[in-house]
Structure formats: structure tokens, C-alpha cells
PDB file of all heavy atoms in Angstrom:
ATOM      1  N   ALA M 177       0.888  -1.226   0.010  1.00 93.00           N
ATOM      2  CA  ALA M 177      -0.031   0.029  -0.075  1.00 93.00           C
ATOM      3  C   ALA M 177       0.825   1.261  -0.001  1.00 93.00           C
ATOM      4  O   ALA M 177       0.248   2.339  -0.047  1.00 93.00           O
ATOM      5  CB  ALA M 177      -0.858  -0.023   1.210  1.00 93.00           C
ATOM      6  N   GLN M 178       2.253   1.116   0.008  1.00 93.00           N
ATOM      7  CA  GLN M 178       3.232   2.208  -0.049  1.00 93.00           C
ATOM      8  C   GLN M 178       2.931   3.125   1.238  1.00 93.00           C
ATOM      9  O   GLN M 178       3.154   4.280   1.118  1.00 93.00           O
ATOM     10  CB  GLN M 178       3.025   2.985  -1.357  1.00 93.00           C
ATOM     11  CG  GLN M 178       3.368   2.127  -2.527  1.00 93.00           C
ATOM     12  CD  GLN M 178       3.492   2.922  -3.780  1.00 93.00           C
ATOM     13  OE1 GLN M 178       3.487   4.129  -3.759  1.00 93.00           O
ATOM     14  NE2 GLN M 178       3.656   2.214  -4.944  1.00 93.00           N
ATOM     15  N   LYS M 179       2.611   2.604   2.296  1.00 94.00           N
ATOM     16  CA  LYS M 179       2.579   3.336   3.573  1.00 94.00           C
ATOM     17  C   LYS M 179       3.902   3.186   4.337  1.00 94.00           C
ATOM     18  O   LYS M 179       4.008   2.522   5.333  1.00 94.00           O
ATOM     19  CB  LYS M 179       1.399   2.733   4.419  1.00 94.00           C
ATOM     20  CG  LYS M 179       0.041   2.906   3.860  1.00 94.00           C
ATOM     21  CD  LYS M 179      -1.021   2.399   4.660  1.00 94.00           C
ATOM     22  CE  LYS M 179      -2.454   2.493   4.137  1.00 94.00           C
ATOM     23  NZ  LYS M 179      -3.557   2.066   4.968  1.00 94.00           N
ATOM     24  N   PHE M 180       4.851   3.992   3.702  1.00 93.00           N
ATOM     25  CA  PHE M 180       6.210   3.811   4.100  1.00 93.00           C
ATOM     26  C   PHE M 180       6.391   4.307   5.572  1.00 93.00           C
ATOM     27  O   PHE M 180       7.270   3.895   6.279  1.00 93.00           O
ATOM     28  CB  PHE M 180       7.172   4.472   3.187  1.00 93.00           C
ATOM     29  CG  PHE M 180       6.912   3.949   1.724  1.00 93.00           C
ATOM     30  CD1 PHE M 180       6.708   4.928   0.738  1.00 93.00           C
ATOM     31  CD2 PHE M 180       7.009   2.634   1.504  1.00 93.00           C
ATOM     32  CE1 PHE M 180       6.604   4.353  -0.577  1.00 93.00           C
ATOM     33  CE2 PHE M 180       6.872   2.168   0.191  1.00 93.00           C
ATOM     34  CZ  PHE M 180       6.728   3.032  -0.822  1.00 93.00           C
ATOM     35  N   ASP M 181       5.674   5.415   5.904  1.00 93.00           N
ATOM     36  CA  ASP M 181       5.869   6.043   7.179  1.00 93.00           C
ATOM     37  C   ASP M 181       5.494   5.064   8.334  1.00 93.00           C
ATOM     38  O   ASP M 181       6.257   5.049   9.394  1.00 93.00           O
ATOM     39  CB  ASP M 181       4.995   7.356   7.336  1.00 93.00           C
ATOM     40  CG  ASP M 181       5.586   8.462   6.422  1.00 93.00           C
ATOM     41  OD1 ASP M 181       6.668   8.432   6.000  1.00 93.00           O
ATOM     42  OD2 ASP M 181       4.748   9.315   6.185  1.00 93.00           O
ATOM     43  N   GLU M 182       4.478   4.307   8.105  1.00 94.00           N
ATOM     44  CA  GLU M 182       4.125   3.396   9.209  1.00 94.00           C
ATOM     45  C   GLU M 182       5.104   2.283   9.385  1.00 94.00           C
ATOM     46  O   GLU M 182       5.343   1.761  10.439  1.00 94.00           O
ATOM     47  CB  GLU M 182       2.705   2.755   8.859  1.00 94.00           C
ATOM     48  CG  GLU M 182       1.634   3.763   8.862  1.00 94.00           C
ATOM     49  CD  GLU M 182       0.172   3.108   8.674  1.00 94.00           C
ATOM     50  OE1 GLU M 182      -0.007   2.021   9.223  1.00 94.00           O
ATOM     51  OE2 GLU M 182      -0.643   3.710   7.954  1.00 94.00           O
ATOM     52  N   ILE M 183       5.792   1.851   8.247  1.00 94.00           N
ATOM     53  CA  ILE M 183       6.768   0.834   8.352  1.00 94.00           C
ATOM     54  C   ILE M 183       7.966   1.460   9.003  1.00 94.00           C
ATOM     55  O   ILE M 183       8.560   0.905   9.885  1.00 94.00           O
ATOM     56  CB  ILE M 183       7.193   0.394   6.982  1.00 94.00           C
ATOM     57  CG1 ILE M 183       5.911  -0.300   6.299  1.00 94.00           C
ATOM     58  CG2 ILE M 183       8.409  -0.604   7.068  1.00 94.00           C
ATOM     59  CD1 ILE M 183       6.240  -0.700   4.784  1.00 94.00           C
ATOM     60  N   GLU M 184       8.398   2.615   8.679  1.00 93.00           N
ATOM     61  CA  GLU M 184       9.557   3.342   9.308  1.00 93.00           C
ATOM     62  C   GLU M 184       9.390   3.493  10.720  1.00 93.00           C
ATOM     63  O   GLU M 184      10.340   3.338  11.506  1.00 93.00           O
ATOM     64  CB  GLU M 184       9.837   4.604   8.650  1.00 93.00           C
ATOM     65  CG  GLU M 184      10.366   4.515   7.240  1.00 93.00           C
ATOM     66  CD  GLU M 184      10.922   5.943   6.642  1.00 93.00           C
ATOM     67  OE1 GLU M 184      11.597   6.573   7.435  1.00 93.00           O
ATOM     68  OE2 GLU M 184      10.533   6.310   5.593  1.00 93.00           O
ATOM     69  N   ASN M 185       8.242   3.747  11.149  1.00 92.00           N
ATOM     70  CA  ASN M 185       7.935   3.909  12.679  1.00 92.00           C
ATOM     71  C   ASN M 185       8.318   2.596  13.457  1.00 92.00           C
ATOM     72  O   ASN M 185       8.601   2.689  14.708  1.00 92.00           O
ATOM     73  CB  ASN M 185       6.484   4.325  12.903  1.00 92.00           C
ATOM     74  CG  ASN M 185       6.228   5.706  12.498  1.00 92.00           C
ATOM     75  OD1 ASN M 185       7.127   6.581  12.343  1.00 92.00           O
ATOM     76  ND2 ASN M 185       5.030   5.982  12.126  1.00 92.00           N
ATOM     77  N   ASP M 186       8.191   1.375  12.756  1.00 93.00           N
ATOM     78  CA  ASP M 186       8.412   0.184  13.554  1.00 93.00           C
ATOM     79  C   ASP M 186       9.786  -0.451  13.138  1.00 93.00           C
ATOM     80  O   ASP M 186      10.059  -1.628  13.673  1.00 93.00           O
ATOM     81  CB  ASP M 186       7.292  -0.753  13.187  1.00 93.00           C
ATOM     82  CG  ASP M 186       5.957  -0.375  13.737  1.00 93.00           C
ATOM     83  OD1 ASP M 186       5.912   0.453  14.633  1.00 93.00           O
ATOM     84  OD2 ASP M 186       4.971  -1.076  13.515  1.00 93.00           O
ATOM     85  N   ILE M 187      10.484   0.141  12.416  1.00 93.00           N
ATOM     86  CA  ILE M 187      11.930  -0.322  12.136  1.00 93.00           C
ATOM     87  C   ILE M 187      12.804  -0.125  13.413  1.00 93.00           C
ATOM     88  O   ILE M 187      12.732   0.991  14.005  1.00 93.00           O
ATOM     89  CB  ILE M 187      12.574   0.373  10.838  1.00 93.00           C
ATOM     90  CG1 ILE M 187      11.774  -0.086   9.536  1.00 93.00           C
ATOM     91  CG2 ILE M 187      13.975   0.030  10.801  1.00 93.00           C
ATOM     92  CD1 ILE M 187      12.269   0.630   8.450  1.00 93.00           C
ATOM     93  N   ASP M 188      13.595  -1.142  13.716  1.00 92.00           N
ATOM     94  CA  ASP M 188      14.417  -1.206  14.952  1.00 92.00           C
ATOM     95  C   ASP M 188      15.311  -0.018  14.857  1.00 92.00           C
ATOM     96  O   ASP M 188      15.969   0.241  13.789  1.00 92.00           O
ATOM     97  CB  ASP M 188      15.052  -2.487  15.036  1.00 92.00           C
ATOM     98  CG  ASP M 188      15.666  -2.737  16.389  1.00 92.00           C
ATOM     99  OD1 ASP M 188      14.820  -3.035  17.330  1.00 92.00           O
ATOM    100  OD2 ASP M 188      16.921  -2.576  16.576  1.00 92.00           O
ATOM    101  N   PRO M 189      15.587   0.750  15.921  1.00 89.00           N
ATOM    102  CA  PRO M 189      16.591   1.753  15.916  1.00 89.00           C
ATOM    103  C   PRO M 189      17.939   1.399  15.478  1.00 89.00           C
ATOM    104  O   PRO M 189      18.699   2.266  14.828  1.00 89.00           O
ATOM    105  CB  PRO M 189      16.559   2.220  17.440  1.00 89.00           C
ATOM    106  CG  PRO M 189      15.323   1.757  18.013  1.00 89.00           C
ATOM    107  CD  PRO M 189      14.910   0.477  17.264  1.00 89.00           C
ATOM    108  N   SER M 190      18.461   0.169  15.698  1.00 86.00           N
ATOM    109  CA  SER M 190      19.734  -0.302  15.282  1.00 86.00           C
ATOM    110  C   SER M 190      19.760  -0.305  13.771  1.00 86.00           C
ATOM    111  O   SER M 190      20.799  -0.148  13.157  1.00 86.00           O
ATOM    112  CB  SER M 190      20.074  -1.626  15.787  1.00 86.00           C
ATOM    113  OG  SER M 190      19.097  -2.645  15.353  1.00 86.00           O
ATOM    114  N   ILE M 191      18.699  -0.577  13.122  1.00 85.00           N
ATOM    115  CA  ILE M 191      18.627  -0.507  11.575  1.00 85.00           C
ATOM    116  C   ILE M 191      18.655   0.820  11.138  1.00 85.00           C
ATOM    117  O   ILE M 191      19.313   1.160  10.125  1.00 85.00           O
ATOM    118  CB  ILE M 191      17.420  -1.419  11.024  1.00 85.00           C
ATOM    119  CG1 ILE M 191      17.404  -2.748  11.679  1.00 85.00           C
ATOM    120  CG2 ILE M 191      17.392  -1.381   9.502  1.00 85.00           C
ATOM    121  CD1 ILE M 191      18.466  -3.579  11.239  1.00 85.00           C
ATOM    122  N   LYS M 192      17.888   1.805  11.869  1.00 80.00           N
ATOM    123  CA  LYS M 192      17.849   3.048  11.360  1.00 80.00           C
ATOM    124  C   LYS M 192      19.167   3.790  11.315  1.00 80.00           C
ATOM    125  O   LYS M 192      19.552   4.607  10.512  1.00 80.00           O
ATOM    126  CB  LYS M 192      16.865   3.925  12.217  1.00 80.00           C
ATOM    127  CG  LYS M 192      15.372   3.476  11.980  1.00 80.00           C
ATOM    128  CD  LYS M 192      14.411   4.364  12.927  1.00 80.00           C
ATOM    129  CE  LYS M 192      13.016   3.855  12.718  1.00 80.00           C
ATOM    130  NZ  LYS M 192      12.124   4.690  13.562  1.00 80.00           N
ATOM    131  N   LEU M 193      20.006   3.483  12.399  1.00 78.00           N
ATOM    132  CA  LEU M 193      21.365   3.953  12.487  1.00 78.00           C
ATOM    133  C   LEU M 193      22.251   3.614  11.304  1.00 78.00           C
ATOM    134  O   LEU M 193      23.198   4.404  10.893  1.00 78.00           O
ATOM    135  CB  LEU M 193      21.994   3.565  13.766  1.00 78.00           C
ATOM    136  CG  LEU M 193      21.420   4.108  15.104  1.00 78.00           C
ATOM    137  CD1 LEU M 193      22.072   3.442  16.225  1.00 78.00           C
ATOM    138  CD2 LEU M 193      21.643   5.594  15.084  1.00 78.00           C
ATOM    139  N   LYS M 194      21.909   2.382  10.760  1.00 78.00           N
ATOM    140  CA  LYS M 194      22.899   1.976   9.581  1.00 78.00           C
ATOM    141  C   LYS M 194      22.299   2.366   8.169  1.00 78.00           C
ATOM    142  O   LYS M 194      23.057   2.417   7.184  1.00 78.00           O
ATOM    143  CB  LYS M 194      22.901   0.471   9.529  1.00 78.00           C
ATOM    144  CG  LYS M 194      23.476  -0.193  10.759  1.00 78.00           C
ATOM    145  CD  LYS M 194      23.390  -1.739  10.796  1.00 78.00           C
ATOM    146  CE  LYS M 194      23.838  -2.436  12.132  1.00 78.00           C
ATOM    147  NZ  LYS M 194      23.831  -3.871  12.015  1.00 78.00           N
ATOM    148  N   SER M 195      21.059   2.829   8.205  1.00 75.00           N
ATOM    149  CA  SER M 195      20.472   3.135   6.824  1.00 75.00           C
ATOM    150  C   SER M 195      20.453   4.666   6.668  1.00 75.00           C
ATOM    151  O   SER M 195      20.029   5.389   7.617  1.00 75.00           O
ATOM    152  CB  SER M 195      19.000   2.602   6.840  1.00 75.00           C
ATOM    153  OG  SER M 195      19.102   1.216   6.810  1.00 75.00           O
ATOM    154  N   THR M 196      20.891   5.159   5.575  1.00 76.00           N
ATOM    155  CA  THR M 196      20.883   6.574   5.282  1.00 76.00           C
ATOM    156  C   THR M 196      19.610   7.146   4.630  1.00 76.00           C
ATOM    157  O   THR M 196      19.211   8.290   4.938  1.00 76.00           O
ATOM    158  CB  THR M 196      22.080   6.898   4.259  1.00 76.00           C
ATOM    159  OG1 THR M 196      21.929   6.175   3.049  1.00 76.00           O
ATOM    160  CG2 THR M 196      23.468   6.588   4.905  1.00 76.00           C
ATOM    161  N   ASN M 197      18.886   6.305   3.899  1.00 86.00           N
ATOM    162  CA  ASN M 197      17.734   6.751   3.250  1.00 86.00           C
ATOM    163  C   ASN M 197      16.659   5.570   3.300  1.00 86.00           C
ATOM    164  O   ASN M 197      16.533   4.902   2.245  1.00 86.00           O
ATOM    165  CB  ASN M 197      17.961   7.231   1.824  1.00 86.00           C
ATOM    166  CG  ASN M 197      16.764   8.080   1.289  1.00 86.00           C
ATOM    167  OD1 ASN M 197      15.647   7.939   1.740  1.00 86.00           O
ATOM    168  ND2 ASN M 197      17.079   8.977   0.380  1.00 86.00           N
ATOM    169  N   LEU M 198      16.015   5.445   4.408  1.00 88.00           N
ATOM    170  CA  LEU M 198      15.016   4.330   4.489  1.00 88.00           C
ATOM    171  C   LEU M 198      13.804   4.484   3.494  1.00 88.00           C
ATOM    172  O   LEU M 198      13.328   3.547   2.882  1.00 88.00           O
ATOM    173  CB  LEU M 198      14.467   4.188   5.906  1.00 88.00           C
ATOM    174  CG  LEU M 198      15.360   3.586   6.926  1.00 88.00           C
ATOM    175  CD1 LEU M 198      14.766   3.879   8.348  1.00 88.00           C
ATOM    176  CD2 LEU M 198      15.543   2.043   6.604  1.00 88.00           C
ATOM    177  N   ASP M 199      13.379   5.732   3.369  1.00 89.00           N
ATOM    178  CA  ASP M 199      12.284   5.974   2.433  1.00 89.00           C
ATOM    179  C   ASP M 199      12.509   5.568   0.997  1.00 89.00           C
ATOM    180  O   ASP M 199      11.702   4.811   0.415  1.00 89.00           O
ATOM    181  CB  ASP M 199      11.819   7.447   2.388  1.00 89.00           C
ATOM    182  CG  ASP M 199      10.598   7.724   1.681  1.00 89.00           C
ATOM    183  OD1 ASP M 199       9.515   7.407   2.068  1.00 89.00           O
ATOM    184  OD2 ASP M 199      10.731   8.319   0.538  1.00 89.00           O
ATOM    185  N   GLN M 200      13.677   5.871   0.485  1.00 92.00           N
ATOM    186  CA  GLN M 200      14.111   5.434  -0.822  1.00 92.00           C
ATOM    187  C   GLN M 200      14.280   3.981  -0.923  1.00 92.00           C
ATOM    188  O   GLN M 200      13.814   3.400  -1.916  1.00 92.00           O
ATOM    189  CB  GLN M 200      15.409   6.167  -1.180  1.00 92.00           C
ATOM    190  CG  GLN M 200      15.908   5.836  -2.562  1.00 92.00           C
ATOM    191  CD  GLN M 200      17.211   6.539  -2.962  1.00 92.00           C
ATOM    192  OE1 GLN M 200      17.637   7.386  -2.130  1.00 92.00           O
ATOM    193  NE2 GLN M 200      17.833   6.190  -4.109  1.00 92.00           N
ATOM    194  N   THR M 201      14.782   3.335   0.129  1.00 92.00           N
ATOM    195  CA  THR M 201      14.892   1.820   0.154  1.00 92.00           C
ATOM    196  C   THR M 201      13.589   1.152   0.077  1.00 92.00           C
ATOM    197  O   THR M 201      13.338   0.301  -0.732  1.00 92.00           O
ATOM    198  CB  THR M 201      15.646   1.299   1.350  1.00 92.00           C
ATOM    199  OG1 THR M 201      17.022   1.945   1.372  1.00 92.00           O
ATOM    200  CG2 THR M 201      15.850  -0.068   1.297  1.00 92.00           C
ATOM    201  N   LEU M 202      12.716   1.670   0.918  1.00 93.00           N
ATOM    202  CA  LEU M 202      11.323   1.036   0.933  1.00 93.00           C
ATOM    203  C   LEU M 202      10.622   1.301  -0.479  1.00 93.00           C
ATOM    204  O   LEU M 202       9.865   0.420  -0.852  1.00 93.00           O
ATOM    205  CB  LEU M 202      10.492   1.694   2.120  1.00 93.00           C
ATOM    206  CG  LEU M 202      10.927   1.301   3.431  1.00 93.00           C
ATOM    207  CD1 LEU M 202      10.231   2.078   4.510  1.00 93.00           C
ATOM    208  CD2 LEU M 202      10.741  -0.144   3.676  1.00 93.00           C
ATOM    209  N   ARG M 203      10.793   2.419  -1.113  1.00 94.00           N
ATOM    210  CA  ARG M 203      10.102   2.680  -2.409  1.00 94.00           C
ATOM    211  C   ARG M 203      10.664   1.737  -3.433  1.00 94.00           C
ATOM    212  O   ARG M 203       9.940   1.232  -4.281  1.00 94.00           O
ATOM    213  CB  ARG M 203      10.380   4.106  -2.820  1.00 94.00           C
ATOM    214  CG  ARG M 203       9.509   5.163  -1.872  1.00 94.00           C
ATOM    215  CD  ARG M 203       9.714   6.582  -2.369  1.00 94.00           C
ATOM    216  NE  ARG M 203       9.095   7.434  -1.497  1.00 94.00           N
ATOM    217  CZ  ARG M 203       7.742   7.747  -1.648  1.00 94.00           C
ATOM    218  NH1 ARG M 203       7.034   7.251  -2.622  1.00 94.00           N
ATOM    219  NH2 ARG M 203       7.157   8.689  -0.828  1.00 94.00           N
ATOM    220  N   ALA M 204      11.993   1.472  -3.413  1.00 94.00           N
ATOM    221  CA  ALA M 204      12.560   0.475  -4.387  1.00 94.00           C
ATOM    222  C   ALA M 204      11.958  -0.919  -4.091  1.00 94.00           C
ATOM    223  O   ALA M 204      11.779  -1.597  -5.116  1.00 94.00           O
ATOM    224  CB  ALA M 204      14.137   0.583  -4.156  1.00 94.00           C
ATOM    225  N   MET M 205      11.822  -1.269  -2.852  1.00 94.00           N
ATOM    226  CA  MET M 205      11.284  -2.566  -2.482  1.00 94.00           C
ATOM    227  C   MET M 205       9.874  -2.694  -3.082  1.00 94.00           C
ATOM    228  O   MET M 205       9.434  -3.664  -3.672  1.00 94.00           O
ATOM    229  CB  MET M 205      11.285  -2.824  -1.011  1.00 94.00           C
ATOM    230  CG  MET M 205      12.732  -3.061  -0.493  1.00 94.00           C
ATOM    231  SD  MET M 205      12.876  -3.003   1.291  1.00 94.00           S
ATOM    232  CE  MET M 205      11.432  -4.151   1.809  1.00 94.00           C
ATOM    233  N   ALA M 206       9.068  -1.642  -2.834  1.00 93.00           N
ATOM    234  CA  ALA M 206       7.693  -1.684  -3.236  1.00 93.00           C
ATOM    235  C   ALA M 206       7.580  -1.696  -4.784  1.00 93.00           C
ATOM    236  O   ALA M 206       6.604  -2.288  -5.301  1.00 93.00           O
ATOM    237  CB  ALA M 206       6.917  -0.425  -2.744  1.00 93.00           C
ATOM    238  N   ALA M 207       8.496  -1.110  -5.506  1.00 93.00           N
ATOM    239  CA  ALA M 207       8.510  -1.156  -6.960  1.00 93.00           C
ATOM    240  C   ALA M 207       8.726  -2.452  -7.484  1.00 93.00           C
ATOM    241  O   ALA M 207       8.448  -2.760  -8.744  1.00 93.00           O
ATOM    242  CB  ALA M 207       9.615  -0.263  -7.488  1.00 93.00           C
ATOM    243  N   GLN M 208       9.312  -3.544  -6.631  1.00 92.00           N
ATOM    244  CA  GLN M 208       9.521  -4.783  -7.260  1.00 92.00           C
ATOM    245  C   GLN M 208       8.300  -5.625  -7.148  1.00 92.00           C
ATOM    246  O   GLN M 208       8.239  -6.825  -7.628  1.00 92.00           O
ATOM    247  CB  GLN M 208      10.686  -5.385  -6.435  1.00 92.00           C
ATOM    248  CG  GLN M 208      12.046  -4.681  -6.702  1.00 92.00           C
ATOM    249  CD  GLN M 208      13.129  -5.471  -6.114  1.00 92.00           C
ATOM    250  OE1 GLN M 208      13.504  -6.688  -6.563  1.00 92.00           O
ATOM    251  NE2 GLN M 208      13.752  -5.009  -5.046  1.00 92.00           N
ATOM    252  N   MET M 209       7.213  -5.167  -6.354  1.00 90.00           N
ATOM    253  CA  MET M 209       6.030  -5.997  -6.332  1.00 90.00           C
ATOM    254  C   MET M 209       4.959  -5.469  -7.254  1.00 90.00           C
ATOM    255  O   MET M 209       4.582  -4.340  -7.254  1.00 90.00           O
ATOM    256  CB  MET M 209       5.517  -5.793  -4.785  1.00 90.00           C
ATOM    257  CG  MET M 209       6.569  -6.310  -3.840  1.00 90.00           C
ATOM    258  SD  MET M 209       5.797  -6.237  -2.135  1.00 90.00           S
ATOM    259  CE  MET M 209       4.552  -7.620  -2.337  1.00 90.00           C
ATOM    260  N   PRO M 210       4.511  -6.404  -8.106  1.00 88.00           N
ATOM    261  CA  PRO M 210       3.468  -5.981  -9.101  1.00 88.00           C
ATOM    262  C   PRO M 210       2.157  -5.573  -8.409  1.00 88.00           C
ATOM    263  O   PRO M 210       1.876  -5.899  -7.188  1.00 88.00           O
ATOM    264  CB  PRO M 210       3.241  -7.314  -9.891  1.00 88.00           C
ATOM    265  CG  PRO M 210       4.484  -8.203  -9.595  1.00 88.00           C
ATOM    266  CD  PRO M 210       4.934  -7.846  -8.139  1.00 88.00           C
ATOM    267  N   ALA M 211       1.480  -4.725  -9.139  1.00 85.00           N
ATOM    268  CA  ALA M 211       0.208  -4.216  -8.611  1.00 85.00           C
ATOM    269  C   ALA M 211      -0.800  -5.450  -8.736  1.00 85.00           C
ATOM    270  O   ALA M 211      -0.671  -6.339  -9.482  1.00 85.00           O
ATOM    271  CB  ALA M 211      -0.264  -3.145  -9.493  1.00 85.00           C
ATOM    272  N   GLY M 212      -1.867  -5.335  -7.907  1.00 86.00           N
ATOM    273  CA  GLY M 212      -2.934  -6.297  -7.816  1.00 86.00           C
ATOM    274  C   GLY M 212      -2.575  -7.400  -6.858  1.00 86.00           C
ATOM    275  O   GLY M 212      -1.419  -7.430  -6.097  1.00 86.00           O
ATOM    276  N   GLN M 213      -3.620  -8.373  -6.671  1.00 89.00           N
ATOM    277  CA  GLN M 213      -3.457  -9.363  -5.765  1.00 89.00           C
ATOM    278  C   GLN M 213      -2.580 -10.502  -6.326  1.00 89.00           C
ATOM    279  O   GLN M 213      -2.783 -10.837  -7.498  1.00 89.00           O
ATOM    280  CB  GLN M 213      -4.826  -9.887  -5.316  1.00 89.00           C
ATOM    281  CG  GLN M 213      -5.595  -8.818  -4.450  1.00 89.00           C
ATOM    282  CD  GLN M 213      -5.067  -8.465  -3.262  1.00 89.00           C
ATOM    283  OE1 GLN M 213      -4.593  -9.331  -2.435  1.00 89.00           O
ATOM    284  NE2 GLN M 213      -5.048  -7.214  -2.934  1.00 89.00           N
ATOM    285  N   PRO M 214      -1.805 -11.140  -5.465  1.00 91.00           N
ATOM    286  CA  PRO M 214      -1.023 -12.333  -5.923  1.00 91.00           C
ATOM    287  C   PRO M 214      -1.978 -13.527  -6.173  1.00 91.00           C
ATOM    288  O   PRO M 214      -3.000 -13.674  -5.574  1.00 91.00           O
ATOM    289  CB  PRO M 214      -0.087 -12.567  -4.840  1.00 91.00           C
ATOM    290  CG  PRO M 214      -0.714 -12.019  -3.633  1.00 91.00           C
ATOM    291  CD  PRO M 214      -1.454 -10.858  -4.123  1.00 91.00           C
ATOM    292  N   LEU M 215      -1.489 -14.373  -7.128  1.00 92.00           N
ATOM    293  CA  LEU M 215      -2.307 -15.644  -7.290  1.00 92.00           C
ATOM    294  C   LEU M 215      -2.225 -16.618  -6.144  1.00 92.00           C
ATOM    295  O   LEU M 215      -3.095 -17.332  -5.767  1.00 92.00           O
ATOM    296  CB  LEU M 215      -1.710 -16.319  -8.557  1.00 92.00           C
ATOM    297  CG  LEU M 215      -1.844 -15.632  -9.760  1.00 92.00           C
ATOM    298  CD1 LEU M 215      -1.184 -16.406 -10.995  1.00 92.00           C
ATOM    299  CD2 LEU M 215      -3.317 -15.181 -10.153  1.00 92.00           C
TER     300      LEU M 215
END
């Protein structure tokens, strides 16, 4: 659903310290998932 803010809120602080741009990473991940429901 591309609700990246809600995902970022629950990412562990240790991961946030290592990641420079979480929003961009999440958008790239979402782009790999086709639209619509899976079979």
C-alpha cells in the first residue's frame, strides 16, 4: 500500500542508524512488487 511512514515507525533503531535513506529503500522494494493481488 506504500505506507512507508508506518513501516519506518516500527523499524528497529539499530537498523535506522545503519540506513541513510529508508524511504528510498522502501520505495525501491515496493516497486519490485506487481500491482494487484497475488495468485
Side-chain angles (χ1 to χ4, degrees):
Q178 300 189 7
K179 296 181 179 180
F180 306 127
D181 291 340
E182 294 185 41
I183 297 176
E184 286 190 49
N185 289 337
D186 287 351
I187 291 179
D188 195 79
S190 62
I191 305 299
K192 290 181 179 180
L193 291 174
K194 299 177 184 178
S195 301
T196 56
N197 195 334
L198 281 174
D199 184 75
Q200 183 178 348
T201 301
L202 291 172
R203 289 181 183 276
M205 289 167 54
Q208 296 190 70
M209 300 188 66
Q213 294 298 316
L215 299 178

